[in-house]
Amino acid sequence: MNTGTAVAERLKNILLVVLVLSTILLLYFLWSDNAGAGFRVPGADGGSVRTIPVEDVLYPERITVNFGAENYTVPPETASLWYGFAGGDAPAFMNGLRKFLASDNIAVGAISKEDFLDVMRARSVRADFAFAIPMADFCAAFDLPRPAEIGVIDAFTCAAYSEASPESLFLCDRLGDRYYRLAMDGEAGFKELIAHIEASDNATYYPLRAFSGVENDTLLPLDASGALAALPYARSIDPGDEDDAGRMREMTRAFFGKSFDFTRKITEGNGTIVYMYGYGEKVLVINRDGSFEYSASEADRGSTDFFGALTTALAFVASHEEPGERAAAEKRVYLRDVRSSFADGQKAYRFSFGLDIDGHTVYYADSEPLAVEVAGRQVRYYKRDMIDASARESGKGLPSDAVFAPFDLLTEHFAYIYGVLSEKGLAAPPGRASDDESVFESVAEMVTGLSSGLLRPSETFFYRGRDERGAPAAGQNLLPVWTLAVQGVDFYFDLYTGAPAGYYGE
């Protein structure tokens, strides 16, 4: 065989190998049942599927600053105060935390809740999360120093600093009723953060006891932080809208991948659509109201930690968003609650997400925007009930009415609040001898928070809201409300009239 023939034969063999490998890869992408691992064509701009960084959703529920002499503020936005702005040099809580944990000779000791609250009455700043974050996982996820001394701290819900003990950082786990003082040689670097917030324009808050005489340190604002008006909204996707048929099919395919062609579709009498793959290994329920729920029974015996599960949840959320844009108002989800459980020896995490629209918290009266349950590395439950709102021109559509005074919510509606709590078994039924003063004090003692935002009302609650001229408006509106948290129940009241607008919880 001459040299030319040998080269030709070798080229043919190489070509055959390449073709066989290409065929195997193509079959893998076509027949893979794993929707999360399915092949995705990059967008027109050459980008890939959007990812959601943990920092975009994980930040404190509240940052409270005490300037001294019972002068408090609660900034409406916490993410930038916790992480700082990219490329900015403004003080941030995480920067101070990183420097503190990098210090030598850190001493850690348990303190009482009373001692913690006492030191917070001085000039101070504290950041509170609504859920517990594992300390070791937190340090690993954000590449923070982890001195051996902090190994005694399993989890935290709160990080704080007080000028009453300038060498200290305080961590607490309210859910476990544990409080810790971490001390270093020198001064912890959080004074600049307090001064930075003090120089900003924020609403003034006072403890509830300053208004009522009841011993309750819950903070109330003197006014709302910004004017709000009713905001029209629509379902992110409407199963009954013919124009959404293509978006519906594209969204559904994202859950089943190529196995979608082998999925059964069942349409129930009330308009609910159920997709089922195999013998219930994957089930997607699309409700008539535009919400949907997905569940998977595929077993994953692997294990993961808090941040591993959260990363899995966020990747699933990003790859299963409704395709296309329906409205221009800026929308942002944030991590609102985390619950963990054990089943069959495997730890699972359920992440519940809240929703901000145009920088305002949206409260759902009888649902939640987004929930994801992760076991091991597998998403086994996903619920989505998202809405879209139209953007409003700056400064337009805002009522001229004065905001209803926050403390007056208690003085006018304490009997209503107590009645609801009694029906739910969260308060003793009022006796015949109960007087208004004792009922009021009971309610005031149980208040745990007050905030303003936009309410998505219950389907059974009729309220017309206000249009851009401040007049009553028909249609589907997010309503401006005060939200008063009492004994685990959120009570909603019209921001301008104080009229009850429903409640949710427990």
Side-chain angles (χ1 to χ4, degrees):
M1 180 180 295
N2 59 37
T3 303
T5 304
V7 170
E9 289 296 322
R10 182 173 296 175
L11 287 174
K12 285 196 292 183
N13 290 336
I14 292 173
L15 182 60
L16 284 172
V17 171
V18 169
L19 288 173
V20 170
L21 290 175
S22 299
T23 302
I24 293 172
L25 284 172
L26 181 60
L27 287 173
Y28 170 78
F29 287 128
L30 287 174
W31 294 102
S32 173
D33 286 339
N34 185 348
F39 177 74
R40 291 180 173 272
V41 179
D45 59 355
S48 57
V49 177
R50 184 177 75 89
T51 59
I52 303 175
V54 169
E55 295 90 334
D56 280 6
V57 301
L58 178 66
Y59 44 84
E61 176 186 41
R62 171 174 290 208
I63 289 180
T64 305
V65 186
N66 183 355
F67 301 122
E70 300 281 32
N71 181 13
Y72 295 86
T73 193
V74 180
E77 199 275 330
T78 66
S80 62
L81 295 176
W82 181 255
Y83 293 110
F85 289 109
D89 57 359
F93 214 111
M94 281 286 283
N95 294 340
L97 184 60
R98 186 181 302 277
K99 291 177 182 177
F100 186 96
L101 294 177
S103 304
D104 296 326
N105 303 320
I106 294 177
V108 180
I111 62 173
S112 67
K113 178 180 179 179
E114 290 72 23
D115 287 343
F116 172 75
L117 295 177
D118 186 59
V119 79
M120 286 295 105
R121 291 190 175 96
R123 187 175 170 88
S124 58
V125 58
R126 62 180 287 183
D128 287 280
F129 292 84
F131 44 84
I133 303 175
M135 189 69 198
D137 296 351
F138 177 76
C139 291
F142 291 99
D143 196 26
L144 296 173
R146 187 168 172 250
E149 292 84 356
I150 70 170
V152 298
I153 303 175
D154 292 329
F156 72 96
T157 62
C158 164
Y161 165 81
S162 171
E163 292 187 6
S165 182
E167 74 284 356
S168 303
L169 170 73
F170 298 89
L171 295 176
C172 65
D173 177 6
R174 296 189 317 278
L175 304 179
D177 197 29
R178 297 183 180 93
Y179 299 81
Y180 303 92
R181 173 178 174 264
L182 291 70
M184 60 175 287
D185 293 333
E187 188 174 296
F190 293 91
K191 282 186 177 181
E192 295 81 3
L193 178 59
I194 298 176
H196 171 70
I197 298 172
E198 189 173 25
S200 305
D201 184 19
N202 290 301
T204 300
Y205 284 67
Y206 293 98
L208 178 54
R209 54 183 160 76
F211 297 95
S212 66
V214 172
E215 284 303 312
N216 188 332
D217 287 331
T218 298
L219 298 177
L220 301 184
L222 292 179
D223 205 341
S225 58
L228 288 172
L231 192 63
Y233 75 93
R235 303 162 180 159
S236 288
I237 197 163
D238 188 349
D241 189 341
E242 292 184 4
D243 293 337
D244 273 357
R247 296 175 68 235
M248 281 276 296
R249 182 173 179 84
E250 186 178 344
M251 181 202 73
T252 305
R253 272 189 173 278
F255 287 94
F256 296 96
K258 292 301 177 180
S259 62
F260 181 67
D261 295 333
F262 305 97
T263 300
R264 288 176 290 163
K265 177 182 177 182
I266 303 169
T267 303
E268 299 181 350
N270 61 359
T272 299
I273 303 172
V274 180
Y275 291 91
M276 184 180 298
Y277 174 70
Y279 295 96
E281 289 93 340
K282 297 179 182 180
V283 178
L284 176 65
V285 179
I286 303 176
N287 298 305
R288 183 63 187 84
D289 64 2
S291 64
F292 52 88
E293 296 178 77
Y294 168 80
S295 58
S297 59
E298 300 162 308
D300 179 357
R301 304 313 303 173
S303 61
T304 188
D305 60 13
F306 179 101
F307 284 92
L310 178 57
T311 300
T312 297
L314 293 177
F316 194 89
V317 170
S319 61
H320 293 81
E321 292 181 330
E322 295 97 339
E325 293 288 339
R326 295 177 66 93
E330 183 181 358
K331 190 165 59 175
R332 180 180 185 180
V333 297
Y334 63 91
L335 188 56
R336 184 176 57 84
D337 191 26
V338 181
R339 304 287 175 92
S340 61
S341 61
F342 282 93
D344 300 326
Q346 188 178 34
K347 191 168 188 177
Y349 293 89
R350 180 185 173 94
F351 300 101
S352 297
F353 296 86
L355 174 67
D356 281 348
I357 290 182
D358 275 347
H360 301 295
T361 300
V362 178
Y363 306 103
Y364 279 47
D366 53 8
S367 180
E368 59 184 341
L370 192 62
V372 188
E373 189 171 314
V374 178
R377 297 176 297 272
Q378 171 75 34
V379 171
R380 67 182 187 187
Y381 178 77
Y382 177 69
K383 179 180 180 181
R384 189 178 181 91
D385 185 9
M386 295 292 283
I387 57 175
D388 294 317
S390 301
R392 193 198 320 275
E393 292 185 43
S394 178
K396 290 192 175 183
L398 300 178
S400 59
D401 306 25
V403 170
F404 195 80
F407 181 68
D408 289 348
L409 297 173
L410 283 174
T411 58
E412 291 200 13
H413 299 297
F414 66 87
Y416 155 70
I417 294 171
Y418 195 88
V420 172
L421 296 178
S422 296
E423 290 175 3
K424 291 177 170 290
L426 299 173
R432 293 182 179 179
S434 298
D435 59 272
D436 287 349
E437 183 177 356
S438 62
V439 172
F440 170 81
E441 289 180 350
S442 295
V443 171
E445 289 171 352
M446 292 186 287
V447 172
T448 57
L450 178 75
S451 56
S452 61
L454 295 166
L455 171 68
R456 182 191 182 189
S458 166
E459 294 290 334
T460 59
F461 182 80
F462 179 76
Y463 185 87
R464 298 180 68 85
R466 298 162 181 264
D467 65 13
E468 292 186 355
R469 298 176 302 279
Q476 205 165 223
N477 290 284
L478 298 175
L479 313 176
V481 293
W482 284 117
T483 300
L484 186 68
V486 188
Q487 199 72 348
V489 179
D490 287 338
F491 291 87
Y492 308 113
F493 301 91
D494 183 283
L495 191 67
Y496 299 97
T497 67
Y503 54 86
Y504 179 68
E506 298 297 331

